[in-house]
Amino acid sequence: MKRSRFSEEQIIAVLKEQEAGMATADVCRRHGISSATFYKWKSKYGGLEVSDARRLRQLEQENERLKKLLADSMLDNAMLKEISAKKF
């Protein structure tokens, strides 16, 4: 997945600018983002603080690692079942 050029802290700062009363179009133009990107960020990070965003990133990384472990264990289990079925 493509890495964003904005960190979570920067994204939250952009969202706070708009919440402070600045027009959405002006915020987007100032930071060089599209309005679609802004609203996608708002749906994901709206109402979060910087510490919450960091925790969210950590949880997403941990979830990704656990999914990989589960996939590996399921593959091992399937191979063992296949081997045991051939023996009989």
Side-chain angles (χ1 to χ4, degrees):
M1 187 162 76
K2 184 179 173 188
R3 177 76 178 132
S4 175
R5 63 183 186 155
F6 293 94
S7 68
E8 284 88 5
E9 293 86 3
Q10 291 170 326
I11 292 170
I12 291 172
V14 169
L15 294 175
K16 294 230 186 258
E17 281 183 27
Q18 191 267 341
E19 289 173 3
M22 197 172 197
T24 304
D26 294 337
V27 172
C28 293
R29 191 176 317 111
R30 181 172 177 218
H31 294 284
I33 59 172
S34 69
S35 59
T37 300
F38 176 82
Y39 288 113
K40 186 171 78 171
W41 287 352
K42 190 171 183 177
S43 69
K44 185 172 183 179
Y45 297 105
L48 292 181
E49 295 298 323
V50 175
S51 61
D52 297 334
R54 286 184 185 142
R55 181 70 181 142
L56 176 65
R57 181 174 11 126
Q58 289 173 348
L59 289 173
E60 286 174 344
Q61 288 173 346
E62 182 180 0
N63 191 26
E64 182 180 331
R65 184 181 61 83
L66 291 173
K67 283 182 179 181
K68 286 180 184 178
L69 287 172
L70 177 63
D72 288 341
S73 67
M74 290 176 70
L75 182 61
D76 290 342
N77 192 10
M79 288 187 330
L80 289 172
K81 283 182 181 179
E82 185 177 321
I83 290 171
S84 67
K86 288 182 181 180
K87 286 185 178 180
F88 295 112

